[in-house]
Amino acid sequence: MTKFTGTDNYVATDDLQLAVNAAVTLQRPLLIKGEPGTGKTMLAEEVAGAMGKKLISWHIKSTTKAQQGLYEYDAVSRLRDSQLGDDKVHDIKNYIKQGMLWQAFTADEQVVLLIDEIDKADIEFPNDLLVELDKMQFSVYETGETIQAKHRPIIIITSNNEKELPDAFLRRCFFHYINFPDKQTMQEIIKVHHPDLKKGMLNAALEVFFEVREVPGLKKKPSTSELIDWIKLLVADDIPIEALQNKSIKEAIPPLYGALLKNEQDVEMLQKLAFMMRRQG
Amino acid sequence: MLIDFFYTLKKAGLPVSIKELLVLLDALEQQVVFGSVDDFYHLSKLCMVKDEKHFDRFDLAFGHYFHDLEMIEDFESFLIPHDWLKPDWIKNLTEEEKAQIEALGGFDKLMETLKKRLEEQQKKHQGGNKWIGTGGTSPFGHGGYNPEGIRIGGEGRHNRATKVWEKRQFKNLDGTAELNTRSMKMVLRKLRKFARTGAADELDLAGTIKSTADNAGLLDLKMRPERHNAVKLLVFFDVGGSMDYHVQRCEELFSAVRAEFKHLEYFYFHNCIYEKLWKDNHRRWQENISTWDVLNTFGSDYHVMIVGDAAMSPYEISEPYGSVEHMNDESGYTWMQRLLEQWHKVVWLNPVPEEYWSYTNSTVMLHKIMSERMYPLNLDGIQSAIDNLAK
């Protein structure tokens, strides 16, 4: 079996690789948590890409019900068809719409199933999927058939920690918390996204970035995806390296800060900090 | 099989069950990792810990458990005769390194020193001191792969792994929180009264069948409004001063309440409720709301929750002009009475543990004004408060 070791455009740390490989080997769902913007959702795409498997994504919203992942029975159109005398009406199967789990279970080869942002759903949602994820099977009450996974899919679940997940659910998953990357990993990540970036520029940008992250009391700390966007802007706008070098954020607000800070209170705070420093200096 | 390890974790307060242990053993059997403590650390963390707030506790327990094991391993490595190690490593040395060994007095001298070092270590070892950790600065560390290098190499590997858990980078995520939002929400669910109001946008299947049958088989769709929680809740939060210590718990309660109730209004006050309330703490002096307006706006069908530590000077409750912040024409007591007249389902949640209430005069007073409907802000307290509101 091929081991997942990250891809050309995704840097996976050792422990993340281990987590993915353990989940693949033991055929258990892998629950991924971490700060927003650390590449949780991307992981599933990259795992699918690296292992040459199809990706099926199930994006969870606050109104999503567990049943929708299995199947939905469209009673209304059957009723309508019966009124119109359509022949389709005699077979109930025509009115059962397959959900993402069903598709993943019945696929001809092993697929990667992403259950994205499971914490967005109702608090009982994960509990409704216990047996399905454990046994990888469910039954369709309307037709009486049992859907059994032909190949147990690789399941990757992401959570942003908006709601706590029930214990029974957690016990069935592997759990991995994506740490915020350290400077070295960050350099690797940036290199993947901006291979042509000059070394001096990269260091200067990283310096500013980590300094902004250190500012106490920020509502939303900038994360990897923001850093990548910011560097993209810096390169696109041809910002000279001098604008970043030797300047603490306390003296001057970094150029194009809007890409790093997404909250006007945070921007205000940075401005205040710079103002105070100027007065003292 | 790792049963001691399992119990070490359990003792450290990690919520581990046999299921996790079996998964870990399964993973080891399937050779997800091979004999490296570093990898084993990551694997066992992956299997045993389900919440990042427990990472720190896991790191501690793991360090504790493996500290004991390392000692045994070190001990065994002393038993390896040195000539057994000799042929392999000497081939790997570069000229430079060989020169360094010469500089230390040749191979035999080196081995002698090493032996001595090991003996010394054994002694210290029995004393429970982790001697080898300082071995890195010894001349043997220089050569990189010399005899001790093999041992130190093993040790070094340990150390690298050790570092990961000794860093304990998840320290501030741990909180032996009495409550979390999930359990709080589960409790708040009790306070539910379902009703169907608003736009009819859900198919009423039973109604449709009935009316279709009545219609002699011709489809007649019936719609109805979605069912939702109809309980209306009004929450008053005490902010500032002594409440700063309880901010996190209040935030948790707030987020739980906000997610659970559609009809939710909240206002802030300081210490005791007077004639002014506000909704935005940053603009509390510019944009405040008259308490009279609040009393008149929200009908008596609202349930009221007051969250505050009720710790203040007794005059702030009993006397006019008693407030620490402004001139209040009427006493806090008067305002509390008005509030209790308007709403009947009122509870007070106090973040201070119940056993300390009696030491604060004002808390006792408010407890009495509330006719004993003050509850501590923990799971049991919220439970009883909700029970009271739902009565």
Side-chain angles (χ1 to χ4, degrees), chain A residues 15 18 26 33 76 79 83 123-124 161 164 170-171 173-175 179, chain B residues 20 27 33 42 46-47 49-50 52 170 180 182 186 189 217 219:
Chain A
D15 47 343
L18 177 78
L26 293 179
K33 275 208 238 172
V76 177
L79 205 54
Q83 299 283 308
I123 197 156
E124 290 296 344
N161 231 359
E164 296 217 12
L170 290 172
R171 292 209 189 291
C173 302
F174 281 125
F175 170 69
N179 265 335
Chain B
E20 276 109 11
V33 296
H42 287 305
L46 185 71
C47 297
V49 191
K50 305 293 180 181
E52 67 274 16
F170 286 93
N180 51 46
R182 182 180 166 82
M186 295 312 278
R189 291 205 148 184
L219 183 56

PDB file of all heavy atoms in Angstrom, chain A residues 15 18 26 33 76 79 83 123-124 161 164 170-171 173-175 179, chain B residues 20 27 33 42 46-47 49-50 52 170 180 182 186 189 217 219:
ATOM      1  N   ASP A  15       3.974  13.709  12.067  1.00  0.00           N
ATOM      2  CA  ASP A  15       2.876  13.134  12.851  1.00  0.00           C
ATOM      3  C   ASP A  15       1.574  13.121  12.050  1.00  0.00           C
ATOM      4  O   ASP A  15       0.755  12.233  12.221  1.00  0.00           O
ATOM      5  CB  ASP A  15       2.707  13.849  14.206  1.00  0.00           C
ATOM      6  CG  ASP A  15       2.722  15.345  14.084  1.00  0.00           C
ATOM      7  OD1 ASP A  15       3.166  15.835  13.036  1.00  0.00           O
ATOM      8  OD2 ASP A  15       2.300  16.030  15.028  1.00  0.00           O
ATOM      9  N   LEU A  18       1.766  10.113   9.821  1.00  0.00           N
ATOM     10  CA  LEU A  18       1.490   8.918  10.611  1.00  0.00           C
ATOM     11  C   LEU A  18      -0.010   8.772  10.840  1.00  0.00           C
ATOM     12  O   LEU A  18      -0.565   7.684  10.720  1.00  0.00           O
ATOM     13  CB  LEU A  18       2.229   8.996  11.945  1.00  0.00           C
ATOM     14  CG  LEU A  18       1.956   7.845  12.893  1.00  0.00           C
ATOM     15  CD1 LEU A  18       2.752   6.631  12.466  1.00  0.00           C
ATOM     16  CD2 LEU A  18       2.288   8.221  14.315  1.00  0.00           C
ATOM     17  N   LEU A  26      -5.838   1.072   9.405  1.00  0.00           N
ATOM     18  CA  LEU A  26      -6.824   0.488  10.322  1.00  0.00           C
ATOM     19  C   LEU A  26      -8.249   0.781   9.889  1.00  0.00           C
ATOM     20  O   LEU A  26      -9.197   0.395  10.564  1.00  0.00           O
ATOM     21  CB  LEU A  26      -6.593   1.010  11.734  1.00  0.00           C
ATOM     22  CG  LEU A  26      -5.298   0.553  12.372  1.00  0.00           C
ATOM     23  CD1 LEU A  26      -5.153   1.122  13.744  1.00  0.00           C
ATOM     24  CD2 LEU A  26      -5.264  -0.961  12.450  1.00  0.00           C
ATOM     25  N   LYS A  33      -8.605  18.415  13.633  1.00  0.00           N
ATOM     26  CA  LYS A  33      -8.938  19.732  14.178  1.00  0.00           C
ATOM     27  C   LYS A  33      -7.721  20.629  14.034  1.00  0.00           C
ATOM     28  O   LYS A  33      -6.620  20.166  13.779  1.00  0.00           O
ATOM     29  CB  LYS A  33      -9.287  19.605  15.657  1.00  0.00           C
ATOM     30  CG  LYS A  33     -10.725  19.242  15.931  1.00  0.00           C
ATOM     31  CD  LYS A  33     -11.148  19.785  17.274  1.00  0.00           C
ATOM     32  CE  LYS A  33     -11.631  18.703  18.214  1.00  0.00           C
ATOM     33  NZ  LYS A  33     -11.867  19.203  19.556  1.00  0.00           N
ATOM     34  N   VAL A  76     -42.717  13.448  -2.148  1.00  0.00           N
ATOM     35  CA  VAL A  76     -43.585  14.390  -2.853  1.00  0.00           C
ATOM     36  C   VAL A  76     -43.609  14.110  -4.348  1.00  0.00           C
ATOM     37  O   VAL A  76     -44.677  14.066  -4.964  1.00  0.00           O
ATOM     38  CB  VAL A  76     -43.137  15.837  -2.580  1.00  0.00           C
ATOM     39  CG1 VAL A  76     -43.982  16.806  -3.365  1.00  0.00           C
ATOM     40  CG2 VAL A  76     -43.243  16.131  -1.096  1.00  0.00           C
ATOM     41  N   LEU A  79     -45.684  11.090  -5.070  1.00  0.00           N
ATOM     42  CA  LEU A  79     -47.097  11.395  -4.957  1.00  0.00           C
ATOM     43  C   LEU A  79     -47.586  12.100  -6.218  1.00  0.00           C
ATOM     44  O   LEU A  79     -48.634  11.791  -6.784  1.00  0.00           O
ATOM     45  CB  LEU A  79     -47.291  12.306  -3.730  1.00  0.00           C
ATOM     46  CG  LEU A  79     -48.641  12.300  -3.060  1.00  0.00           C
ATOM     47  CD1 LEU A  79     -49.040  10.887  -2.685  1.00  0.00           C
ATOM     48  CD2 LEU A  79     -48.582  13.149  -1.795  1.00  0.00           C
ATOM     49  N   GLN A  83     -50.242  10.855  -9.314  1.00  0.00           N
ATOM     50  CA  GLN A  83     -51.368  11.651  -9.799  1.00  0.00           C
ATOM     51  C   GLN A  83     -51.365  11.682 -11.323  1.00  0.00           C
ATOM     52  O   GLN A  83     -52.407  11.643 -11.963  1.00  0.00           O
ATOM     53  CB  GLN A  83     -51.261  13.091  -9.282  1.00  0.00           C
ATOM     54  CG  GLN A  83     -51.297  13.200  -7.784  1.00  0.00           C
ATOM     55  CD  GLN A  83     -52.688  13.033  -7.240  1.00  0.00           C
ATOM     56  OE1 GLN A  83     -53.603  13.709  -7.682  1.00  0.00           O
ATOM     57  NE2 GLN A  83     -52.853  12.121  -6.311  1.00  0.00           N
ATOM     58  N   ILE A 123     -26.155  19.332  17.275  1.00  0.00           N
ATOM     59  CA  ILE A 123     -25.329  18.710  18.303  1.00  0.00           C
ATOM     60  C   ILE A 123     -25.453  17.175  18.308  1.00  0.00           C
ATOM     61  O   ILE A 123     -24.552  16.451  18.696  1.00  0.00           O
ATOM     62  CB  ILE A 123     -25.697  19.333  19.665  1.00  0.00           C
ATOM     63  CG1 ILE A 123     -24.637  19.066  20.711  1.00  0.00           C
ATOM     64  CG2 ILE A 123     -27.056  18.905  20.135  1.00  0.00           C
ATOM     65  CD1 ILE A 123     -24.643  20.078  21.818  1.00  0.00           C
ATOM     66  N   GLU A 124     -26.574  16.648  17.831  1.00  0.00           N
ATOM     67  CA  GLU A 124     -26.773  15.196  17.824  1.00  0.00           C
ATOM     68  C   GLU A 124     -26.301  14.545  16.529  1.00  0.00           C
ATOM     69  O   GLU A 124     -26.306  13.322  16.408  1.00  0.00           O
ATOM     70  CB  GLU A 124     -28.263  14.868  18.030  1.00  0.00           C
ATOM     71  CG  GLU A 124     -28.773  15.164  19.420  1.00  0.00           C
ATOM     72  CD  GLU A 124     -28.096  14.303  20.478  1.00  0.00           C
ATOM     73  OE1 GLU A 124     -27.470  13.297  20.116  1.00  0.00           O
ATOM     74  OE2 GLU A 124     -28.182  14.661  21.661  1.00  0.00           O
ATOM     75  N   ASN A 161     -14.211  23.075  15.928  1.00  0.00           N
ATOM     76  CA  ASN A 161     -14.367  23.216  17.368  1.00  0.00           C
ATOM     77  C   ASN A 161     -15.497  24.142  17.774  1.00  0.00           C
ATOM     78  O   ASN A 161     -15.457  24.738  18.841  1.00  0.00           O
ATOM     79  CB  ASN A 161     -13.068  23.732  17.981  1.00  0.00           C
ATOM     80  CG  ASN A 161     -12.660  22.859  19.124  1.00  0.00           C
ATOM     81  OD1 ASN A 161     -13.375  21.902  19.433  1.00  0.00           O
ATOM     82  ND2 ASN A 161     -11.558  23.167  19.763  1.00  0.00           N
ATOM     83  N   GLU A 164     -18.716  20.797  20.762  1.00  0.00           N
ATOM     84  CA  GLU A 164     -17.983  19.618  21.203  1.00  0.00           C
ATOM     85  C   GLU A 164     -18.649  18.383  20.638  1.00  0.00           C
ATOM     86  O   GLU A 164     -19.870  18.316  20.543  1.00  0.00           O
ATOM     87  CB  GLU A 164     -17.976  19.565  22.727  1.00  0.00           C
ATOM     88  CG  GLU A 164     -17.234  20.746  23.269  1.00  0.00           C
ATOM     89  CD  GLU A 164     -16.437  20.395  24.497  1.00  0.00           C
ATOM     90  OE1 GLU A 164     -16.282  19.200  24.778  1.00  0.00           O
ATOM     91  OE2 GLU A 164     -15.983  21.328  25.156  1.00  0.00           O
ATOM     92  N   LEU A 170     -16.232  10.190  19.198  1.00  0.00           N
ATOM     93  CA  LEU A 170     -14.786  10.375  19.234  1.00  0.00           C
ATOM     94  C   LEU A 170     -14.042   9.051  19.362  1.00  0.00           C
ATOM     95  O   LEU A 170     -12.982   8.861  18.804  1.00  0.00           O
ATOM     96  CB  LEU A 170     -14.416  11.295  20.399  1.00  0.00           C
ATOM     97  CG  LEU A 170     -14.833  12.751  20.227  1.00  0.00           C
ATOM     98  CD1 LEU A 170     -14.587  13.521  21.511  1.00  0.00           C
ATOM     99  CD2 LEU A 170     -14.080  13.388  19.081  1.00  0.00           C
ATOM    100  N   ARG A 171     -14.650   8.127  20.132  1.00  0.00           N
ATOM    101  CA  ARG A 171     -13.990   6.844  20.357  1.00  0.00           C
ATOM    102  C   ARG A 171     -13.783   6.078  19.060  1.00  0.00           C
ATOM    103  O   ARG A 171     -12.932   5.226  18.961  1.00  0.00           O
ATOM    104  CB  ARG A 171     -14.815   5.980  21.299  1.00  0.00           C
ATOM    105  CG  ARG A 171     -14.852   6.526  22.692  1.00  0.00           C
ATOM    106  CD  ARG A 171     -15.015   5.450  23.735  1.00  0.00           C
ATOM    107  NE  ARG A 171     -15.251   6.051  25.034  1.00  0.00           N
ATOM    108  CZ  ARG A 171     -14.356   6.728  25.707  1.00  0.00           C
ATOM    109  NH1 ARG A 171     -13.159   6.897  25.207  1.00  0.00           N
ATOM    110  NH2 ARG A 171     -14.654   7.265  26.877  1.00  0.00           N
ATOM    111  N   CYS A 173     -12.989   7.384  16.211  1.00  0.00           N
ATOM    112  CA  CYS A 173     -12.113   8.088  15.273  1.00  0.00           C
ATOM    113  C   CYS A 173     -10.685   8.124  15.790  1.00  0.00           C
ATOM    114  O   CYS A 173     -10.432   8.025  16.976  1.00  0.00           O
ATOM    115  CB  CYS A 173     -12.552   9.543  15.105  1.00  0.00           C
ATOM    116  SG  CYS A 173     -14.213   9.755  14.554  1.00  0.00           S
ATOM    117  N   PHE A 174      -9.765   8.300  14.851  1.00  0.00           N
ATOM    118  CA  PHE A 174      -8.442   8.767  15.221  1.00  0.00           C
ATOM    119  C   PHE A 174      -8.536  10.274  15.307  1.00  0.00           C
ATOM    120  O   PHE A 174      -9.253  10.903  14.532  1.00  0.00           O
ATOM    121  CB  PHE A 174      -7.418   8.394  14.161  1.00  0.00           C
ATOM    122  CG  PHE A 174      -6.969   6.969  14.244  1.00  0.00           C
ATOM    123  CD1 PHE A 174      -7.066   6.134  13.153  1.00  0.00           C
ATOM    124  CD2 PHE A 174      -6.453   6.473  15.418  1.00  0.00           C
ATOM    125  CE1 PHE A 174      -6.654   4.818  13.229  1.00  0.00           C
ATOM    126  CE2 PHE A 174      -6.032   5.169  15.501  1.00  0.00           C
ATOM    127  CZ  PHE A 174      -6.137   4.339  14.404  1.00  0.00           C
ATOM    128  N   PHE A 175      -7.778  10.838  16.225  1.00  0.00           N
ATOM    129  CA  PHE A 175      -7.864  12.286  16.378  1.00  0.00           C
ATOM    130  C   PHE A 175      -6.502  12.913  16.132  1.00  0.00           C
ATOM    131  O   PHE A 175      -5.505  12.479  16.702  1.00  0.00           O
ATOM    132  CB  PHE A 175      -8.357  12.625  17.789  1.00  0.00           C
ATOM    133  CG  PHE A 175      -8.254  14.072  18.122  1.00  0.00           C
ATOM    134  CD1 PHE A 175      -9.070  14.994  17.488  1.00  0.00           C
ATOM    135  CD2 PHE A 175      -7.334  14.539  19.044  1.00  0.00           C
ATOM    136  CE1 PHE A 175      -8.983  16.344  17.772  1.00  0.00           C
ATOM    137  CE2 PHE A 175      -7.229  15.883  19.332  1.00  0.00           C
ATOM    138  CZ  PHE A 175      -8.063  16.786  18.699  1.00  0.00           C
ATOM    139  N   ASN A 179      -1.075  21.296  14.404  1.00  0.00           N
ATOM    140  CA  ASN A 179      -0.439  22.404  15.108  1.00  0.00           C
ATOM    141  C   ASN A 179      -0.190  23.551  14.170  1.00  0.00           C
ATOM    142  O   ASN A 179      -0.028  23.353  12.982  1.00  0.00           O
ATOM    143  CB  ASN A 179       0.931  21.948  15.601  1.00  0.00           C
ATOM    144  CG  ASN A 179       0.857  21.464  16.993  1.00  0.00           C
ATOM    145  OD1 ASN A 179      -0.034  21.869  17.732  1.00  0.00           O
ATOM    146  ND2 ASN A 179       1.762  20.601  17.357  1.00  0.00           N
TER     147      ASN A 179
ATOM    148  N   GLU B  20      -9.997   2.176  22.928  1.00  0.00           N
ATOM    149  CA  GLU B  20      -8.830   2.876  22.404  1.00  0.00           C
ATOM    150  C   GLU B  20      -7.571   2.027  22.524  1.00  0.00           C
ATOM    151  O   GLU B  20      -6.735   2.016  21.635  1.00  0.00           O
ATOM    152  CB  GLU B  20      -8.618   4.200  23.160  1.00  0.00           C
ATOM    153  CG  GLU B  20      -9.454   5.327  22.624  1.00  0.00           C
ATOM    154  CD  GLU B  20     -10.559   5.710  23.575  1.00  0.00           C
ATOM    155  OE1 GLU B  20     -10.543   5.241  24.718  1.00  0.00           O
ATOM    156  OE2 GLU B  20     -11.450   6.460  23.170  1.00  0.00           O
ATOM    157  N   ALA B  27      -3.149  -1.313  15.837  1.00  0.00           N
ATOM    158  CA  ALA B  27      -2.267  -0.515  14.991  1.00  0.00           C
ATOM    159  C   ALA B  27      -0.835  -1.027  15.091  1.00  0.00           C
ATOM    160  O   ALA B  27      -0.117  -1.088  14.094  1.00  0.00           O
ATOM    161  CB  ALA B  27      -2.338   0.956  15.381  1.00  0.00           C
ATOM    162  N   VAL B  33       3.727   1.596  12.846  1.00  0.00           N
ATOM    163  CA  VAL B  33       5.027   2.166  13.182  1.00  0.00           C
ATOM    164  C   VAL B  33       5.973   1.022  13.546  1.00  0.00           C
ATOM    165  O   VAL B  33       5.551  -0.052  13.934  1.00  0.00           O
ATOM    166  CB  VAL B  33       4.931   3.143  14.375  1.00  0.00           C
ATOM    167  CG1 VAL B  33       4.073   4.318  14.018  1.00  0.00           C
ATOM    168  CG2 VAL B  33       4.413   2.447  15.610  1.00  0.00           C
ATOM    169  N   HIS B  42       3.521   9.425  18.824  1.00  0.00           N
ATOM    170  CA  HIS B  42       2.502  10.017  17.948  1.00  0.00           C
ATOM    171  C   HIS B  42       1.329   9.066  17.758  1.00  0.00           C
ATOM    172  O   HIS B  42       0.172   9.478  17.758  1.00  0.00           O
ATOM    173  CB  HIS B  42       3.113  10.371  16.598  1.00  0.00           C
ATOM    174  CG  HIS B  42       4.007  11.570  16.661  1.00  0.00           C
ATOM    175  ND1 HIS B  42       3.569  12.772  17.165  1.00  0.00           N
ATOM    176  CD2 HIS B  42       5.291  11.762  16.303  1.00  0.00           C
ATOM    177  CE1 HIS B  42       4.561  13.644  17.111  1.00  0.00           C
ATOM    178  NE2 HIS B  42       5.612  13.059  16.602  1.00  0.00           N
ATOM    179  N   LEU B  46      -2.478   9.621  18.873  1.00  0.00           N
ATOM    180  CA  LEU B  46      -3.527   9.568  17.850  1.00  0.00           C
ATOM    181  C   LEU B  46      -4.683   8.687  18.299  1.00  0.00           C
ATOM    182  O   LEU B  46      -5.845   8.990  18.074  1.00  0.00           O
ATOM    183  CB  LEU B  46      -2.898   9.015  16.566  1.00  0.00           C
ATOM    184  CG  LEU B  46      -3.721   8.962  15.302  1.00  0.00           C
ATOM    185  CD1 LEU B  46      -3.938  10.366  14.792  1.00  0.00           C
ATOM    186  CD2 LEU B  46      -3.009   8.129  14.253  1.00  0.00           C
ATOM    187  N   CYS B  47      -4.335   7.564  18.942  1.00  0.00           N
ATOM    188  CA  CYS B  47      -5.365   6.598  19.306  1.00  0.00           C
ATOM    189  C   CYS B  47      -6.052   6.960  20.623  1.00  0.00           C
ATOM    190  O   CYS B  47      -7.242   6.742  20.777  1.00  0.00           O
ATOM    191  CB  CYS B  47      -4.770   5.210  19.450  1.00  0.00           C
ATOM    192  SG  CYS B  47      -4.079   4.568  17.940  1.00  0.00           S
ATOM    193  N   VAL B  49      -6.013   9.983  22.578  1.00  0.00           N
ATOM    194  CA  VAL B  49      -6.490  11.311  22.948  1.00  0.00           C
ATOM    195  C   VAL B  49      -7.473  11.793  21.897  1.00  0.00           C
ATOM    196  O   VAL B  49      -7.213  11.696  20.705  1.00  0.00           O
ATOM    197  CB  VAL B  49      -5.315  12.304  23.063  1.00  0.00           C
ATOM    198  CG1 VAL B  49      -5.786  13.586  23.707  1.00  0.00           C
ATOM    199  CG2 VAL B  49      -4.201  11.697  23.861  1.00  0.00           C
ATOM    200  N   LYS B  50      -8.591  12.288  22.352  1.00  0.00           N
ATOM    201  CA  LYS B  50      -9.622  12.703  21.404  1.00  0.00           C
ATOM    202  C   LYS B  50      -9.915  14.192  21.474  1.00  0.00           C
ATOM    203  O   LYS B  50     -10.864  14.661  20.875  1.00  0.00           O
ATOM    204  CB  LYS B  50     -10.921  11.924  21.688  1.00  0.00           C
ATOM    205  CG  LYS B  50     -10.751  10.441  21.682  1.00  0.00           C
ATOM    206  CD  LYS B  50     -10.407   9.925  20.306  1.00  0.00           C
ATOM    207  CE  LYS B  50     -10.239   8.432  20.343  1.00  0.00           C
ATOM    208  NZ  LYS B  50      -9.894   7.896  19.039  1.00  0.00           N
ATOM    209  N   GLU B  52      -7.851  18.145  21.986  1.00  0.00           N
ATOM    210  CA  GLU B  52      -6.537  18.763  22.154  1.00  0.00           C
ATOM    211  C   GLU B  52      -6.332  19.294  23.560  1.00  0.00           C
ATOM    212  O   GLU B  52      -5.210  19.498  23.992  1.00  0.00           O
ATOM    213  CB  GLU B  52      -6.310  19.860  21.115  1.00  0.00           C
ATOM    214  CG  GLU B  52      -7.177  21.096  21.234  1.00  0.00           C
ATOM    215  CD  GLU B  52      -8.507  20.944  20.520  1.00  0.00           C
ATOM    216  OE1 GLU B  52      -8.871  19.800  20.212  1.00  0.00           O
ATOM    217  OE2 GLU B  52      -9.176  21.961  20.293  1.00  0.00           O
ATOM    218  N   PHE B 170       0.867  22.047  24.580  1.00  0.00           N
ATOM    219  CA  PHE B 170      -0.583  22.219  24.655  1.00  0.00           C
ATOM    220  C   PHE B 170      -1.023  22.623  26.039  1.00  0.00           C
ATOM    221  O   PHE B 170      -2.157  22.495  26.404  1.00  0.00           O
ATOM    222  CB  PHE B 170      -1.286  20.940  24.210  1.00  0.00           C
ATOM    223  CG  PHE B 170      -1.209  20.765  22.750  1.00  0.00           C
ATOM    224  CD1 PHE B 170      -0.201  20.026  22.179  1.00  0.00           C
ATOM    225  CD2 PHE B 170      -2.107  21.409  21.930  1.00  0.00           C
ATOM    226  CE1 PHE B 170      -0.102  19.906  20.819  1.00  0.00           C
ATOM    227  CE2 PHE B 170      -2.027  21.291  20.577  1.00  0.00           C
ATOM    228  CZ  PHE B 170      -1.019  20.534  20.007  1.00  0.00           C
ATOM    229  N   ASN B 180     -18.604  22.422  29.824  1.00  0.00           N
ATOM    230  CA  ASN B 180     -18.247  22.847  28.497  1.00  0.00           C
ATOM    231  C   ASN B 180     -19.545  23.164  27.781  1.00  0.00           C
ATOM    232  O   ASN B 180     -20.625  22.861  28.260  1.00  0.00           O
ATOM    233  CB  ASN B 180     -17.458  21.763  27.781  1.00  0.00           C
ATOM    234  CG  ASN B 180     -18.156  20.444  27.844  1.00  0.00           C
ATOM    235  OD1 ASN B 180     -19.355  20.368  27.614  1.00  0.00           O
ATOM    236  ND2 ASN B 180     -17.430  19.404  28.165  1.00  0.00           N
ATOM    237  N   ARG B 182     -20.902  21.941  25.293  1.00  0.00           N
ATOM    238  CA  ARG B 182     -21.778  20.842  24.909  1.00  0.00           C
ATOM    239  C   ARG B 182     -22.691  20.407  26.054  1.00  0.00           C
ATOM    240  O   ARG B 182     -23.895  20.337  25.905  1.00  0.00           O
ATOM    241  CB  ARG B 182     -20.960  19.639  24.435  1.00  0.00           C
ATOM    242  CG  ARG B 182     -21.858  18.521  23.982  1.00  0.00           C
ATOM    243  CD  ARG B 182     -21.114  17.313  23.493  1.00  0.00           C
ATOM    244  NE  ARG B 182     -22.042  16.199  23.407  1.00  0.00           N
ATOM    245  CZ  ARG B 182     -22.857  15.998  22.397  1.00  0.00           C
ATOM    246  NH1 ARG B 182     -22.876  16.835  21.401  1.00  0.00           N
ATOM    247  NH2 ARG B 182     -23.697  14.977  22.391  1.00  0.00           N
ATOM    248  N   MET B 186     -26.766  20.662  26.450  1.00  0.00           N
ATOM    249  CA  MET B 186     -27.639  19.526  26.724  1.00  0.00           C
ATOM    250  C   MET B 186     -28.571  19.859  27.882  1.00  0.00           C
ATOM    251  O   MET B 186     -29.739  19.499  27.870  1.00  0.00           O
ATOM    252  CB  MET B 186     -26.817  18.276  27.065  1.00  0.00           C
ATOM    253  CG  MET B 186     -25.960  17.740  25.941  1.00  0.00           C
ATOM    254  SD  MET B 186     -26.789  17.573  24.367  1.00  0.00           S
ATOM    255  CE  MET B 186     -27.620  16.022  24.575  1.00  0.00           C
ATOM    256  N   ARG B 189     -31.308  22.275  26.915  1.00  0.00           N
ATOM    257  CA  ARG B 189     -32.340  21.706  26.062  1.00  0.00           C
ATOM    258  C   ARG B 189     -33.627  21.408  26.824  1.00  0.00           C
ATOM    259  O   ARG B 189     -34.684  21.302  26.235  1.00  0.00           O
ATOM    260  CB  ARG B 189     -31.852  20.396  25.458  1.00  0.00           C
ATOM    261  CG  ARG B 189     -30.779  20.635  24.468  1.00  0.00           C
ATOM    262  CD  ARG B 189     -30.730  19.542  23.486  1.00  0.00           C
ATOM    263  NE  ARG B 189     -30.285  20.150  22.253  1.00  0.00           N
ATOM    264  CZ  ARG B 189     -30.188  19.511  21.111  1.00  0.00           C
ATOM    265  NH1 ARG B 189     -30.547  18.276  21.039  1.00  0.00           N
ATOM    266  NH2 ARG B 189     -29.775  20.125  20.040  1.00  0.00           N
ATOM    267  N   GLY B 217     -58.607  11.413  -3.564  1.00  0.00           N
ATOM    268  CA  GLY B 217     -57.394  10.973  -4.233  1.00  0.00           C
ATOM    269  C   GLY B 217     -56.678  12.050  -5.005  1.00  0.00           C
ATOM    270  O   GLY B 217     -55.593  11.823  -5.533  1.00  0.00           O
ATOM    271  N   LEU B 219     -54.363  15.101  -5.305  1.00  0.00           N
ATOM    272  CA  LEU B 219     -53.331  15.615  -4.396  1.00  0.00           C
ATOM    273  C   LEU B 219     -53.654  17.009  -3.886  1.00  0.00           C
ATOM    274  O   LEU B 219     -53.945  17.919  -4.636  1.00  0.00           O
ATOM    275  CB  LEU B 219     -51.990  15.614  -5.135  1.00  0.00           C
ATOM    276  CG  LEU B 219     -50.783  16.062  -4.326  1.00  0.00           C
ATOM    277  CD1 LEU B 219     -50.649  15.231  -3.072  1.00  0.00           C
ATOM    278  CD2 LEU B 219     -49.535  15.963  -5.173  1.00  0.00           C
TER     279      LEU B 219
END
